């Protein structure tokens, strides 16, 4: 493998022994980067009973998997995971380290970057190499794409959300090496995850929805947000949001779409009271038909959608919901 460049690493993630799709997507992109660097793709996977998942990483493009399995690794343990990753990175000196922008990745990546005294770019939407083989970590900013580089420190670290890169087709014939690593038999530090209690998902999941109604700051208040949510429920659509709607406490973080939220690709996207800021729009590049409702006819959202409705959503939505319900009732009685 490459003499000049270290390996491209992916910190893979499993939950209940299921490999997260973003980990496979990162292996796919790591493969491309490693091929250009003349280097190798290596993954770290921590958990309990996860040999099969190591095989999945190899089938997706990894050359080597560092596998740490122990009962105390069943759940993500911030301090123990950090310790293991930092020690391995210090030993093997990877060139690049990629992590999913998941709950785990969002916490683990800065912990590891701080310990390794290197840089970290969060929520990248593209990763390419420049002519000097430095990683351009691209994020949307200032109305365009900004490339952040970390030319001196190693590894070059980036987090990426699920859905930014495609999931590679598994090649079951691929072979790779699995190295079992030593795991400290005692959890370091003060934080221990003892149990994970999952919230029941509410409504239609954003990631698989064919219709999404997303609301923004223009909803105005909780009553206005109630109309946005009711439109989504009436259309059996998933409810999405922009950051201000989350910050106002009208909805949960899980509904946020965009650079630091979810990437979605519905058949129909309806944006209500939102301006079309790039950090939001980057999450819906996969949408087929886009509709916006905004009271400002000059709003930039109208340059980005297929159909635009200029109106106050506080007045328009109740009328629209009533009409849709009447139509739905007619369909049932016919
Ligand atoms: C690093 C970083 C990451 C970010 N990540 C994300 C992300 O993942 N997702 C995200 O969404 N944002 C993200 N943001 C925030 C983003 O930049 C914008 O601030 C946000 O998307 C704007 O939300 P908005 O369109 O709801 O609000 P605004 O930009 O304030 O737009 C509100 C719109 O509502 C319209 N309006 C007002 N009243 C009404 C009414 N009565 N009826 C109809 N329309 C009305 C207005 O004309 C306006 O166009 C990020 C920002 C940064 C810096």
């Amino acid at each position: 493998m490459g003499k000049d460049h270290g390996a491209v690493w992916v910190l893979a993630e499993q939950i209940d022994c299921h490999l997260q799709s973003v980990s496979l997507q990162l292996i796919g992109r790591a493969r491309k980067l490693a091929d250009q660097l003349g280097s190798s793709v290596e993954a770290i996977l921590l958990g309990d009973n996860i040999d099969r998942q190591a095989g999945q990483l190899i089938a997706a493009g990894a050359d080597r998997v560092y596998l740490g399995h122990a009962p105390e690794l069943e759940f993500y343990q911030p301090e123990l995971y950090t310790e293991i990753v930092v020690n391995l990175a210090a030993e093997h000196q990877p060139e690049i380290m990629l992590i999913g922008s998941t709950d785990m990745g969002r916490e683990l990546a800065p912990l590891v970057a701080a310990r390794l005294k290197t840089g970290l770019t969060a929520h990248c939407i593209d990763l390419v190499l420049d002519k000097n083989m430095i990683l351009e970590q691209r994020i949307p900013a200032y109305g365009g794409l900004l490339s952040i580089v970390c030319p001196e420190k190693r590894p070059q670290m980036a987090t990426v959300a699920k859905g930014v890169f495609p999931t590679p087709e598994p090649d079951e014939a691929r072979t790779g090496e699995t190295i079992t690593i030593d795991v400290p038999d005692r959890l370091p530090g003060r934080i221990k995850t003892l149990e994970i209690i999952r919230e029941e998902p509410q409504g239609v999941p954003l990631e698989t929805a064919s219709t999404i109604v997303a609301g923004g700051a223009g909803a105005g208040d909780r009553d206005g947000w109630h109309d946005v949510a009711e439109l989504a429920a009436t259309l059996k659509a998933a409810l999405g949001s922009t950051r201000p709607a989350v910050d106002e406490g009208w909805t949960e973080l899980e509904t946020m779409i965009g650079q630091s939220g979810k990437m979605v690709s519905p058949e129909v996207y309806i944006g209500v009271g939102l301006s079309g800021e790039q950090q939001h729009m980057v999450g819906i590049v996969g949408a087929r038909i886009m509709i916006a409702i905004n009271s400002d006819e000059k709003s930039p959202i109208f340059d980005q959608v297929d159909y635009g409705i200029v109106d106050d959503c506080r007045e328009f939505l109740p009328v629209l919901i009533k009409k849709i319900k009447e139509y739905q009732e007619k369909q049932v009685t016919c």
Side-chain angles (χ1 to χ4, degrees):
M1 288 297 166
K3 289 190 183 81
D4 300 323
H5 301 286
V8 182
W9 275 21
V10 174
L11 297 194
E13 179 178 356
Q14 56 78 29
I15 296 177
D16 293 339
C17 293
H18 295 292
L19 212 48
Q20 298 304 286
S21 57
V22 66
S23 303
L24 296 170
Q25 291 157 8
L26 290 178
I27 292 281
R29 177 47 61 121
R31 183 73 267 158
K32 270 194 184 172
L33 298 171
D35 288 346
Q36 280 176 273
L37 288 167
S39 174
S40 58
V41 176
E42 301 183 346
I44 301 183
L45 182 63
L46 306 176
D48 196 21
N49 293 321
I50 45 165
D51 297 86
R52 195 177 59 80
Q53 289 69 25
Q56 280 179 273
L57 291 166
I58 290 170
D63 300 304
R64 183 172 299 126
V65 180
Y66 295 105
L67 198 62
H69 42 100
E72 49 277 31
L73 291 175
E74 179 187 359
F75 304 128
Y76 162 58
Q77 307 286 357
E79 289 168 284
L80 182 55
Y81 274 45
T82 304
E83 196 68 26
I84 293 172
V85 174
V86 166
N87 288 342
L88 272 178
E91 187 182 344
H92 298 284
Q93 304 285 321
E95 186 81 14
I96 292 171
M97 194 187 286
L98 308 178
I99 312 179
S101 292
T102 59
D103 289 344
M104 180 190 96
R106 281 193 257 243
E107 183 176 62
L108 184 60
L111 287 171
V112 171
R115 288 275 302 277
L116 293 175
K117 296 190 168 36
T118 187
L120 167 69
T121 308
H123 310 305
C124 295
I125 61 157
D126 203 2
L127 297 167
V128 295
L129 293 167
D130 73 7
K131 60 180 185 344
N132 298 317
M133 295 289 137
I134 300 290
L135 187 67
E136 286 190 15
Q137 305 161 52
R138 294 185 174 163
I139 58 161
Y142 309 118
L145 273 187
L146 197 72
S147 285
I148 297 179
V149 291
C150 178
E152 282 159 29
K153 302 284 183 170
R154 293 291 177 272
Q156 302 162 86
M157 287 186 65
T159 68
V160 179
K162 176 169 111 179
V164 169
F165 297 125
T167 307
E169 278 298 315
D171 176 359
E172 304 300 340
R174 275 197 97 251
T175 53
E177 191 183 4
T178 301
I179 297 174
T180 303
I181 56 171
D182 291 334
V183 176
D185 54 7
R186 239 169 37 83
L187 292 184
R190 298 150 294 169
I191 305 165
K192 288 180 192 160
T193 311
L194 303 175
E195 189 186 2
I196 293 180
I197 300 164
R198 291 183 209 297
E199 263 183 303
E200 283 299 315
Q202 290 177 350
V204 184
L206 269 176
E207 293 89 337
T208 53
S210 60
T211 307
I212 290 176
V213 175
D221 57 20
R222 278 190 187 277
D223 288 344
W225 186 260
H226 177 267
D227 291 342
V228 177
E230 194 178 349
L231 177 63
T234 308
L235 292 171
K236 295 193 173 36
L239 179 65
S241 69
T242 61
R243 176 174 271 178
V246 175
D247 290 345
E248 288 293 334
W250 302 335
T251 183
E252 304 298 319
L253 180 65
E254 282 65 39
T255 65
M256 189 166 83
I257 296 170
Q259 184 189 345
S260 30
K262 293 192 170 149
M263 302 282 165
V264 296
S265 46
E267 285 292 304
V268 181
Y269 165 91
I270 305 172
V272 181
L274 49 83
S275 60
E277 282 278 343
Q278 210 189 4
Q279 284 92 358
H280 177 73
M281 301 308 279
V282 76
I284 51 168
V285 282
R288 207 168 69 80
I289 299 171
M290 290 164 64
I291 303 166
I293 303 165
N294 195 303
S295 54
D296 176 7
E297 63 181 314
K298 295 203 174 69
S299 172
I301 187 70
F302 289 128
D303 299 330
Q304 305 177 63
V305 294
D306 303 295
Y307 302 97
I309 297 159
V310 181
D311 208 340
D312 182 336
C313 63
R314 307 289 299 261
E315 291 170 15
F316 183 73
L317 289 192
V319 178
L320 178 64
I321 292 164
K322 190 162 167 274
K323 290 274 176 207
I324 294 169
K325 284 185 176 167
E326 284 169 5
Y327 175 79
Q328 287 171 337
E329 274 162 26
K330 251 193 232 158
Q331 299 298 105
V332 174
T333 49
C334 284

